[in-house]
Amino acid sequence: MIVHPPKKVLIEAEVANSPLVKNLRERLPSAGFEIVERVSDRREADPEVLEIVAFRGRFIKTCPGTRHYCCCGYRILHFGTQCSLDCTYCILQAYLNQPNLRLFGNTPDMFRELEEELQSHPRRLYRIGTGEFTDSLLLDPWTGFSRDLIPFFARQPNAVVELKTKTYSVGCLDDLEHGGHTIVAWSLNAPEIRRREESRAAGIRDRLSAARYCAERGYWLAFHFDPMIHHENWRQGYGETLDRLFDAVDPGRVVYLSLGAFRFMPELKAVIQARHPQSRIPYGEFIRGLDDKMRYFRDIRVELYSFMVERLRKVDPDLCVYLCMEGEDIWRESFGFSPEEKGGLPAMLDRAVKERMKVGLHCDEWPLPSVWTPESRQC
Amino acid sequence: MDAAYSSIPLRHIDWEDSTYAIRSFQPSTELEASLERLGFLTAPWLLCQGGERFVVVDGFKRLQWARRRGLPDVLCRVYPEGTDTGELRLRRLEGKLFAPPLNVAEKAQIISELLDFLPAQIVVREYFPRLGVASRVESLERWRGLAAAGDEMLEAVASQEIFDRTALELMGWEERARLEMLSLFKELKCSASVQLEILERLTEIALGRARKRGDLLHDAELQSIVVDSTLNHRRKTGLLRERLTRMRFPRLRAREERFNAQWESLSLPGSIRLTHPPAFEGERWQLQITFSRPRELMDLLDSAGKFARSPALKSIMAPPEDPGVTGSSQRSVTIEGFSKEL
């Protein structure tokens, strides 16, 4: 893994005394700290800079699902943007107006908003994750953010938090009171894809060692084979990663596992070609999906998913395996059923949380009245 | 920088010196007709090299015409010996820029020359708009490459056998493959967008297979079309595009071919048309019936109803049983449970 501590921290004056900045000052003694009135958006990325800004928007967002495909009903805790792992396929590359690592310094506002939201719907089960616009644990050794976040969720009877990462930075999680409300999740891929397209991220072995480390400390786990990349010998590659996964961890500790074939906004193709000319990913057999994103031709997706589902059922037939943003036809062909038959995808995932983690047992079952994204189709 | 008008004997001109030439790579028939009719409308530019030696700065074609016509001398605008040659070149380029429209070969040469003595940013910011060229710094090296790409390439762009974006794209190709594509495009006589589509397909197929583009062009499945002398240029272009599309999207094309073959095997009336979802994405299929009389509609609805109730519809909508196998149009198709005698 290639992750360097920031050498320069640029801080907006409004959050100069926040707990996050205090942690950074303690843990980055040799970094330069500069207070500015406002951090402006830049065109050029500086990998040595970390920006700490005051965030004005909503910290809790709904998963950016579209009405054409089944969405998981996940909530995103928006705590920062960008990632220095620089995976070739990463969608964050398209956010060129904001290329530097950026965290939101007003964390007290974030926890206040979280508390209000969770308390306003005490019978609703919240599955909340932080890894949508950045890697959840990339900067954790220096921010120690997980040391605030995990105990906070341990106190919430109706919520679990998922920290999604491609690192092995789990040191801060060691002695925390997590109360069984935290899922530590890893994005996994075939070894060849890890090597070619995720070269700065932790190796598969290190990710799985970190997962085992967390499981030994009572954390729940999740895994995301997303994005799955169709490549030569993909069966062998994904099969190998699955074997290694379940050699490393007990499937009974895994709350859910998602599969998602690579999909992207059309604009990303040119960005990948320019920034990662050696990548062969853009030359897969992509078609324009119903949501206008580029997706592998459906038969390829079904093939990828069916292979994984078959293997996973042999490992643990009760493991909640789901597809991220796929249509009911793809579900039926890959699983033999559609989420609708199981009460919808959000209900399937809630059930996995309740049955495995025993969290939110008092919460209502799906479908819930007027919740989540009105536009999202909850299959 | 002073220049004076003077009548210069053509025998004093150094015809071998092409320092200031910007070749148009186009025939000068129309220009010569104009000269025959009207003679010189503006004076050519010469630079004095000392004594009675002059080199041509501007007006190459006109002076060559005069020489062929046997004129003894021509009134020229003469720059004296010791003139700043860099400044003179710049004037020559500016003169070209504001003269009648430039072809792509001339633009390439002008850009290349400008880059010799101006910073790239200035060339892009100030000269690209005048040349009608997209202001992209990344394209500078390709323009420079095009200027040095040789007469065959420059003649082809000047005559629009290949178009500017095609030519610039080809500058990123290795030389042998570039020349092969050049001669292929000359033969295909296709539009700019089709040229670009062919280049993009070849590039993406090659990159996806970790192969060189030039090698890919020699694959039997493409060569069988490229070297087929019985095909006219339209047919050859069509077949090549089709083959490249199949190579780029093999699974989708196989599914489309399977769908088409199955549909045709049903022999339903031509007024009934089944359309699959675009790229088979999603579950919205369409059945279209075209009719002109109520009676005809009833007959067609009857046929459509029988088709809808038969296993044939389910079969045609179903994904291939073995998705790992790439199909082809040669594959035989049998749909059980549906009678062609509808």
Side-chain angles (χ1 to χ4, degrees), chain B residues 261-279:
Chain B
Q262 284 185 323
W263 178 248
E264 281 166 23
S265 76
L266 298 174
S267 302
L268 280 161
S271 306
I272 298 178
R273 195 173 146 211
L274 182 69
T275 309
H276 61 72

Side-chain angles (χ1 to χ4, degrees), chain B residues 195-209:
Chain B
Q195 288 181 355
L196 284 172
E197 177 196 295
I198 289 171
L199 291 184
E200 183 182 87
R201 289 271 191 269
L202 280 168
T203 299
E204 296 200 340
I205 294 164
L207 287 170
R209 299 178 182 185

